[in-house]
Each structure stands twice: as C-alpha cells, then as structure tokens.
Amino acid sequence: DKLVNERLISMAYGQIGMIQASAGFFVYFVIMCENGFWPSKLLGLRRSWDSIAVNDLEDSYGQEWTYKDRKILEFTCHTAFFVSIVIVQWADLIICKTRKNSVFQQGMKNWFMNFGLVFETALAAFLSYTPGMEKGLRMYPLKFNWWLPALPFSLLIFIYDECRKYLLRQNPGGWIEQETYY
C-alpha cells in the first residue's frame, strides 16, 4: 500500500476539495451580491475593476464605487474565502478521524483535535478582526453573517462522508470501497 494513492487524491481533490472550493466561491459571490455586484455584472469587469483611474464604476444598482472602495470589497471577499475554507475544514478534520467507522461510533474524545478546531477558528477570527491586518495581509473584518454561508457546505461534506462510510460498512469489498477507501 502506498501512502498516497489515486483514491486518496480523488477524495481529497476531486470530491471533498471541490465542495470546499464551492464554499469559498459561494461566500465570495454572496458578499459581492450584498454589495451590489451581481455575478452577471462581474463577468468581464476585471480591467475596469483594477484600473486606478476608474473612480466611478457602477454596480448592478447604479451605485458608483471608487478604486479604494472596490479594493476593500475585494480583499474582504478574499478574507471571507479564507474563513469559508476554515469552516469546511472543520468537517474535513472530523471525517478524517476514521476511514470506516462513523464519527458517532468513534466520538469526539480527542481533545488535541478539539483544541485544533477551536484554534483554527480563533486564528481565522484573529486574522480577520485584528487592527492592522488590512495593511499587512489585506484581510478585512467580516460581518458575522458572512461566516454563515459556508456552514451548509461543511454539513454537506460531513453527511457525504458519513453516507460513504455507511455504504463501506454495508458492502465490504464493494465498488464504494474499491473507489473511495484510501
């Protein structure tokens, strides 16, 4: 057995990774939409968006945005993308506890792992809300409700893997095990 095989890569990047990336992009578009930039308006907007000379760029509602305000919005979206990845990593860490058993059978008794979940969340909050981060890391504070859109994706990852593990236990040696058991 190899440490990294095709099935592990397929699960990590092809399945779970795609859900995680979708969470990040979803949060990005939620923030853009809440600020007046509908996805249809964003297509083809990069040249004007990045132009320092354009200080009257209109959003979907006709509001004008200066270069500085656009960049603050863009970096806020980057921060939210990062936070959404942290949120879906909660589920990723929990599903990686076991390869066949349900997390309900295994439990959450590993206090180092539990500390890790709390720590990564606290670190994301620290990076988002600490004054001065907008200069050093271009991370801007998020509204609380911008932490929430990634939660359904985290739940989806958890349910997906619990179903996969259930099918593994019900059909040992079957197709699911051959394709997804790493």
Side-chain angles (χ1 to χ4, degrees), residues 8-177:
L8 177 61
I9 292 171
S10 169
M11 285 295 295
Y13 294 106
Q15 297 173 42
I16 304 299
M18 291 297 179
I19 297 171
Q20 292 177 347
S22 298
F25 287 116
F26 181 71
V27 172
Y28 195 98
F29 283 117
V30 164
I31 294 173
M32 284 294 196
C33 287
E34 281 188 20
N35 284 280
F37 288 97
W38 291 95
S40 59
K41 181 74 172 179
L42 292 172
L43 294 173
L45 193 63
R46 176 56 62 190
R47 182 167 285 149
S48 298
W49 185 274
D50 284 336
S51 175
I52 199 163
V54 177
N55 280 312
D56 58 353
L57 184 70
E58 281 192 11
D59 65 14
S60 301
Y61 298 119
Q63 303 173 100
E64 292 183 351
W65 288 73
T66 65
Y67 175 78
K68 181 182 176 195
D69 290 337
R70 291 192 310 267
K71 286 302 174 179
I72 289 172
L73 177 60
E74 179 182 344
F75 297 141
T76 301
C77 289
H78 293 175
T79 304
F81 196 105
F82 165 72
V83 166
S84 73
I85 296 301
V86 168
I87 290 170
V88 293
Q89 284 293 311
W90 297 342
D92 198 35
L93 178 63
I94 292 168
I95 68 172
C96 288
K97 283 180 57 120
T98 67
R99 295 194 311 176
K100 277 190 179 178
N101 288 340
S102 169
V103 74
F104 300 109
Q105 294 169 327
Q106 184 74 19
M108 294 288 290
K109 297 173 188 150
N110 183 340
W111 292 107
F112 290 105
M113 187 193 78
N114 295 340
F115 173 77
L117 287 168
V118 172
F119 181 78
E120 74 172 331
T121 306
L123 181 61
F126 173 80
L127 292 172
S128 177
Y129 298 112
T130 300
M133 287 297 175
E134 69 278 358
K135 291 176 181 59
L137 296 176
R138 294 182 174 173
M139 297 187 82
Y140 283 82
L142 300 175
K143 294 179 183 176
F144 175 74
N145 63 318
W146 290 343
W147 285 68
L148 303 177
L151 288 174
F153 292 88
S154 192
L155 185 63
L156 175 64
I157 290 169
F158 180 76
I159 292 170
Y160 173 78
D161 202 63
E162 283 295 313
C163 291
R164 182 188 70 82
K165 289 174 185 177
Y166 174 78
L167 292 172
L168 273 173
R169 291 189 305 271
Q170 295 303 310
N171 305 302
W175 181 81
I176 299 286
E177 184 171 329

